[in-house]
Amino acid sequence: MTAQTAEQLTHKKCKPCEGGVQPYTAAEAAAQVQALPDWKLTADGKAIERRWVVKDFLTAMKFFDAVAKIAETDQHHPDLHLTGYRNVRIELSTHAIGGLSENDFILAAKIDKTPVELKKK
């Protein structure tokens, strides 16, 4: 499987996955995540995650709402985490196959295009 660019991924739509597909191998996942430099493979290699420190609580909620709309449109839903009122973490995996699929990288690329106001340094 050849890794795709972030731009290529954003032009795709997630495909329904009820299982029966092989998850990405460790090598495939490592190659594909390089196109999304802010995303990292989780320690077990079965998911990808990204973290943000946003301006404030309402900014986090607006961002989650925007991500939810993208996820619902593509019918692929991430795990959304908010701690300390502004620390956002999004984790993507394809639960039906117990690992990563193209859908995870498609959604990550689309999330990357979603504007969010970060905490000023």
Side-chain angles (χ1 to χ4, degrees), residues 28-103:
E28 290 169 336
Q32 186 57 72
V33 80
Q34 288 180 20
L36 305 165
D38 293 320
W39 292 83
K40 306 292 179 234
L41 285 170
T42 58
D44 64 7
K46 294 184 178 188
I48 55 174
E49 70 175 9
R50 182 172 172 194
R51 297 170 187 262
W52 296 257
V53 179
V54 300
K55 178 183 172 189
D56 54 29
F57 180 77
L58 287 177
T59 300
M61 291 295 97
K62 287 177 190 174
F63 182 55
F64 277 171
D65 187 53
V67 168
K69 288 175 183 168
I70 295 165
E72 194 61 19
T73 297
D74 268 36
Q75 287 298 294
H76 190 64
H77 303 97
D79 293 337
L80 305 174
H81 305 272
L82 176 63
T83 55
Y85 79 89
R86 71 168 68 184
N87 300 300
V88 170
R89 181 172 65 88
I90 297 179
E91 186 173 304
L92 292 161
S93 68
T94 302
H95 302 289
I97 62 171
L100 289 162
S101 73
E102 181 182 46
N103 289 349

Side-chain angles (χ1 to χ4, degrees), residues 16-22 94-98:
C17 182
E18 298 298 327
V21 209
Q22 288 298 314
T94 302
H95 302 289
I97 62 171

